[in-house]
Amino acid sequence: MRSIPTITKNLLIINILAFAAMYALRSTIDLNSLLGLHFFIASDFRIYQLFTYMFMHASFEHLFFNMFALWMFGCVVERVWGPKKFLFFYLTCGVGAGLFQEMAQYGSFLVEGLPAYDSVQLEGLRISMDEFLNRWTTVGASGAVYGLLLAFGMIFPEERIFIFPLPIPIKAKWFVILYAGISLVMALTTTGGNVAHFAHLGGMVVGFFLIRYWKRHPYGSSSRSEGEQFFENLKDKWERHTHKSAETPPPHESYQEHQSDWDYNAHKQKEQEEIDRILDKIRKSGYDSLSSEEKRKLFDSSNRR
């Protein structure tokens, strides 16, 4: 556990604890109903469920496969992006997946003509429409995990990985395309069932556009950049100005302070240029192409964020 990055490790712990609590309290309270994502028209729907649903799971197998994928891809992506950017991406993909699932359920609600009925026949019993819609509950981290899968494929497109039951490794980019294609086909051809295929697609779609936005606006990402350096320089000037109004230093001290700030900023800029070079090398040739020194620099940089 010590080798797992902070956010990935905490997400694993929270999901496991949530499942244990759901199992332990199953005879007194249904946590999956309370914290799972209900259809937004149903009476049990709450806005907070868009966040809490991704920490709940329906079975041990459901939990295991999601947590295995979170560990497998999350460790790598978090080390590249840093904890803050990684957590924002994970939660955004999870919420986006929930919204896609809500839209898919609303489409089914209209296509099946349910607005015209007050009750439905289910398993030999007549139940109210509200009770029926409250059963449309989504749980699981799959949407957020599919977003991580996409992120790994976009960061390391040439990296080869094994997929059971294929006997040979395939490149990450083909792995992502394969899973996206399967989810799309299943979403369009499967009716009913217990798998939220549209949520899987939603996590990947939201993740794709978020990564594209970050690539086009690198100064808005969590990595250090010239834009961030510009604002840090403004902050340094403001702090020097406020200190100067309280106490004016001798001329030679002011000059030394300016030189110290300049050296610090130049050093940080040089470090960022080196990290950018390493990331470009990963995108072109894969993670294994890095030298031990380059891997160390990348790891140290992610820990400082």
Side-chain angles (χ1 to χ4, degrees), residues 48-298:
Y48 65 78
Q49 294 168 355
L50 283 168
F51 292 91
T52 57
Y53 90 96
M54 68 183 86
F55 298 101
M56 308 305 299
H57 289 83
S59 65
F60 176 78
E61 291 79 9
H62 189 202
L63 173 73
F64 174 80
F65 285 109
N66 275 342
M67 294 305 97
F68 179 78
L70 172 58
W71 166 78
M72 182 177 179
F73 299 108
C75 288
V76 179
V77 175
E78 183 179 349
R79 286 194 175 103
V80 174
W81 280 349
K84 293 181 180 179
K85 185 174 181 179
F86 173 79
L87 179 60
F88 178 81
F89 180 85
Y90 182 89
L91 294 178
T92 301
C93 288
V95 172
L99 293 175
F100 265 72
Q101 181 67 7
E102 291 288 313
M103 289 188 291
Q105 289 177 338
Y106 186 64
S108 297
F109 178 71
L110 295 179
V111 170
E112 295 176 14
L114 296 180
Y117 298 92
D118 295 327
S119 61
V120 297
Q121 191 78 17
L122 184 65
E123 298 176 354
L125 299 175
R126 173 77 46 184
I127 62 174
S128 67
M129 180 58 65
D130 183 63
E131 182 181 351
F132 175 68
L133 294 180
N134 276 326
R135 298 189 181 192
W136 291 11
T137 308
T138 304
V139 294
S142 301
V145 168
Y146 267 67
L148 290 183
L149 186 156
L150 176 91
F152 181 88
M154 294 182 71
I155 298 172
F156 308 104
E158 303 301 321
E159 192 74 15
R160 294 182 179 273
I161 56 179
F162 278 97
I163 309 173
F164 181 83
L166 297 181
I168 58 173
I170 66 172
K171 292 184 177 181
K173 59 184 178 182
W174 302 124
F175 173 69
V176 171
I177 293 173
L178 174 64
Y179 263 65
I182 292 174
S183 293
L184 179 60
V185 171
M186 295 297 290
L188 296 177
T189 60
T190 304
T191 58
N194 296 321
V195 181
H197 298 291
F198 277 105
H200 298 170
L201 280 175
M204 299 185 85
V205 169
V206 171
F208 174 80
F209 283 106
L210 187 55
I211 293 173
R212 292 288 294 176
Y213 176 83
W214 281 339
K215 285 186 176 181
R216 294 179 181 179
H217 303 81
Y219 297 161
S221 69
S222 63
S223 61
R224 295 187 62 86
S225 62
E226 292 180 1
E228 187 175 341
Q229 191 65 58
F230 169 76
F231 287 106
E232 288 189 0
N233 290 341
L234 288 181
K235 180 181 177 182
D236 290 340
K237 290 180 180 179
W238 172 255
E239 289 178 350
R240 289 199 299 270
H241 175 74
T242 54
H243 287 312
K244 184 177 181 181
S245 62
E247 179 181 358
T248 303
H252 69 280
E253 290 184 7
S254 177
Y255 174 77
Q256 290 175 353
E257 180 183 3
H258 175 75
Q259 286 296 102
S260 177
D261 289 340
W262 189 89
D263 292 340
Y264 172 82
N265 293 334
H267 174 71
K268 290 298 181 182
Q269 182 63 27
K270 184 177 180 181
E271 283 186 347
Q272 182 56 39
E273 290 175 353
E274 176 65 10
I275 295 301
D276 290 342
R277 183 192 66 78
I278 294 174
L279 292 177
D280 286 338
K281 184 176 180 181
I282 292 175
R283 295 188 188 98
K284 294 177 181 177
S285 307
Y287 183 77
D288 289 339
S289 66
L290 298 183
S291 65
S292 299
E293 179 66 17
E294 288 172 330
K295 291 179 180 178
R296 183 189 64 79
K297 290 180 180 179
L298 185 62

